[in-house]
Amino acid sequence: MTEPKPKIFALIIFIIGVFMSALDNGIISSALSTINYAFNVSEVQGTWGVTLYTLGMAISTPIAGKLADRYGRKKLFLIEIAIFALGSLMVALSANFPMFLAARVLQSFGGGGIFIIASSHIISTYPKEKQGGLLGALGAINGIASVVGPNIGSLVLNVSGHWSWLFLINLPIAVFVLIAGTMAIPETKAAHGGNLDFKGLIFLTFGILSFMLAIANIQSQAFLSSLATPQVFIFLILGVIFFIIFSQIEKHIKGKVEPFLPYNLIRNSGFLLTLFMGLLSGTLIAIFVFIPSFVEHRYGISASNSGIWMSGIGLGSIIGAGVGGTLVNKFGATKSLVISGILSTLGFTLITFLSPTTTWFLVSSTLAGIGFGMLMGAPFQVLMSEIAGEKQNGVALGTLSVSRQVGLTLAPTIYATLVQGGFANFVSDKLSHISGTAGIHAGQSVENLYVQIRHLTGTAHTQALAAFQQTAQMAYQNMFFVSIIASVLILIGGFYLYKHNF
């Protein structure tokens, strides 16, 4: 039986909104240098445009999910779209860097709830046998946006000549979604019987903010030592304190107040394990950032062509998101987690130990992409909605999204530390034995070392390049090994949940 056209059109509107918000995360990466130059700020300062957006998304996601369940998903979705559009306009019109950062925060408050509300709409509107495929489609949209975002950004930047158009293109899309959504999206909300838990909301917000600020202050080139710096450990301690206070508030709520994150979920082992696996899935998605550098350093592919070799893992993740939804409909969420864990483990194992050529890497990375692409869509969301129930669905999905965002934020620092550590003794151990390389000194970034080696000539160039690629294989091997561990833990977690009938 086919779905009514109004129902399909409403779903298309949600998908367009999800694509718009997901695209923004990738599209800005193509213009970071241009934006930094326009505002005359350093690279470190420039990254706060991304960091603050991440912080805002992490804070607003569970809040939007809870408010949507309570006051109406259509209403909150349209409000989120409007805030995102206003933030996009303010970013484009920013006259200075502080205004740019403030506008990015506003934009993030709008973007944080779009995906979660769309997911909640599917779960509340469609029968269970169709939810997996549709949630998988939403995950595929996120995957597509993350892959094509940098390419679209570069195209818009080249055509328009100014970075502001990267954000102005959101406005006509947002206007269409607002008008069409007002007319076509039905209103849905979860049943509730109490006042909103504002006290819990405040402490949860400060807890998330503290942890995300701690992660943002970790330095990749001095990972362990930076953990001991005040700007990291103080925020970590504050985060723990705020979350303890939050859990106690939720535990002792009485009367007509409706808990923000019900204590029965906090005590639920399946809920907590799903959050942990969501965090691990975020660490796998973060691999995208390092694929071009790996291909360039390991196989000698030029920087201009290295992005092409993301095609396998990118296409695989898109296929995996769709397949994941189908598997959830057929086998259930926990079995799908086990299957995706197996594929992801196998793919990253092949990348780590059995990819001597780019062809092998393309095959291995596609398999890995299919595995973790399955995790981006249906399995986690369906599992979380089943654990939480319809009444608590929005906040549960929002919390899951935050856990994934934490993994996605933390992983690049860990990966960069492992890669940099793999090259720590490269100059003294490898280059010191090659004549003609005395001018290359230790303590540089991996990219700078590679550039200097490429400028060598004759035998020195050949020997140094071979040594560099050999070292790159081992250095990046450490990074991919972390992905193997994450995949295995997801596999074990999925098997545990399956055995215990979650």
Side-chain angles (χ1 to χ4, degrees):
M1 183 176 179
T2 58
E3 296 291 341
K5 288 184 178 180
K7 197 173 183 179
I8 295 175
F9 186 52
L11 180 62
I12 292 173
I13 295 169
F14 276 112
I15 289 175
I16 293 173
V18 167
F19 183 79
M20 179 183 69
S21 62
L23 189 68
D24 197 79
N25 262 333
I27 204 171
I28 192 177
S29 63
S30 60
L32 276 179
S33 298
T34 305
I35 294 173
N36 294 344
Y37 180 79
F39 290 119
N40 194 27
V41 296
S42 66
E43 290 183 2
V44 175
Q45 291 173 310
T47 58
W48 277 97
V50 177
T51 302
L52 287 176
Y53 188 84
T54 303
L55 286 171
M57 290 274 285
I59 293 170
S60 62
T61 295
I63 297 173
K66 182 68 173 181
L67 294 178
D69 282 351
R70 181 180 176 84
Y71 296 110
R73 298 181 179 107
K74 172 183 176 178
K75 188 184 285 89
L76 261 293
F77 178 76
L78 297 178
I79 290 174
E80 289 283 286
I81 293 291
I83 294 174
F84 184 82
L86 178 60
S88 298
L89 178 61
M90 290 181 61
V91 170
L93 299 178
S94 295
N96 52 58
F97 194 59
M99 181 180 175
F100 172 81
L101 294 180
R104 285 288 285 169
V105 172
L106 179 63
Q107 191 188 28
S108 71
F109 288 160
I114 293 175
F115 181 80
I116 297 306
I117 296 172
S119 300
S120 295
H121 169 81
I122 288 174
I123 291 173
S124 65
T125 306
Y126 286 86
K128 189 173 181 180
E129 62 271 13
K130 294 186 177 181
Q131 291 174 9
L134 294 175
L135 290 172
L138 279 186
I141 291 298
N142 266 327
I144 292 171
S146 64
V147 173
V148 304
N151 295 327
I152 292 178
S154 297
L155 177 63
V156 172
L157 199 59
N158 289 331
V159 172
S160 67
H162 198 278
W163 61 267
S164 60
W165 284 99
L166 297 175
F167 303 94
L168 289 174
I169 61 174
N170 291 329
L171 300 184
I173 303 174
V175 169
F176 168 78
V177 171
L178 287 171
I179 295 174
T182 301
M183 296 186 297
I185 296 176
E187 184 62 279
T188 61
K189 62 177 71 173
H192 62 85
N195 299 320
L196 195 61
D197 173 26
F198 287 104
K199 188 185 296 184
L201 172 61
I202 291 171
F203 280 99
L204 176 64
T205 298
F206 279 120
I208 294 172
L209 179 62
S210 297
F211 273 121
M212 296 299 286
L213 284 174
I215 292 172
N217 286 318
I218 295 174
Q219 303 297 317
S220 62
Q221 294 185 347
F223 182 80
L224 294 179
S225 60
S226 67
L227 292 177
T229 58
Q231 60 264 41
V232 174
F233 76 79
I234 288 178
F235 282 122
L236 286 175
I237 293 173
L238 284 175
V240 171
I241 293 173
F242 285 135
F243 275 117
I244 291 175
I245 296 174
F246 168 73
S247 65
Q248 290 303 307
I249 291 173
E250 304 305 283
K251 181 179 181 180
H252 295 100
I253 279 181
K254 295 179 180 179
K256 295 184 178 180
V257 177
E258 183 180 339
F260 189 85
L261 182 59
Y263 192 67
N264 68 299
L265 288 182
I266 299 175
R267 294 184 58 187
N268 189 307
S269 60
F271 176 78
L272 296 177
L273 180 56
T274 304
L275 288 184
F276 177 64
M277 291 192 293
L279 184 148
L280 294 175
S281 71
T283 67
L284 297 180
I285 298 171
I287 285 289
F288 270 109
V289 178
F290 293 85
I291 294 299
S293 296
F294 168 72
V295 172
E296 182 184 2
H297 297 160
R298 169 67 181 90
Y299 301 111
I301 304 297
S302 66
S304 58
N305 292 325
S306 60
I308 297 174
W309 295 95
M310 286 183 63
S311 301
I313 200 167
L315 181 61
S317 66
I318 294 168
I319 295 173
V323 171
T326 303
L327 289 178
V328 168
N329 289 338
K330 188 171 183 179
F331 300 114
T334 53
K335 280 187 178 180
S336 299
L337 283 177
V338 172
I339 294 171
S340 63
I342 292 173
L343 292 176
S344 182
T345 300
L346 180 59
F348 283 115
T349 299
L350 290 174
I351 292 175
T352 306
F353 300 108
L354 292 171
S355 293
T357 65
T358 51
T359 301
W360 272 101
F361 171 76
L362 189 63
V363 174
S364 303
S365 62
T366 301
L367 182 60
I370 292 173
F372 80 73
M374 292 170 60
L375 303 174
M376 293 195 302
F380 283 132
Q381 291 166 275
V382 171
L383 176 62
M384 189 62 88
S385 66
E386 291 174 349
I387 292 173
E390 183 181 355
K391 184 177 179 180
Q392 302 168 352
N393 174 58
V395 69
L397 289 177
T399 309
L400 172 64
S401 182
V402 171
S403 70
R404 179 174 290 169
Q405 192 65 51
V406 170
L408 185 56
T409 306
L410 179 60
T413 302
I414 297 175
Y415 293 157
T417 300
L418 292 172
V419 173
Q420 193 74 33
F423 280 91
N425 299 318
F426 172 69
V427 174
S428 58
D429 291 351
K430 300 288 186 180
L431 294 191
S432 61
H433 304 295
I434 301 174
S435 60
T437 61
I440 301 178
H441 303 288
Q444 305 180 71
S445 68
V446 176
E447 189 60 39
N448 285 338
L449 279 174
Y450 186 58
V451 169
Q452 289 190 344
I453 288 173
R454 288 181 61 192
H455 282 93
L456 296 174
T457 58
T459 305
H461 171 267
T462 303
Q463 294 178 347
L465 187 61
F468 182 91
Q469 292 178 354
Q470 183 183 29
T471 304
Q473 178 184 2
M474 295 182 291
Y476 284 95
Q477 196 173 67
N478 297 332
M479 178 186 76
F480 286 118
F481 190 71
V482 172
S483 299
I484 296 176
I485 295 174
S487 300
V488 170
L489 290 176
I490 290 174
L491 169 60
I492 294 173
F495 186 74
Y496 173 87
L497 293 175
Y498 170 71
K499 281 295 184 181
H500 289 79
N501 298 316
F502 278 96

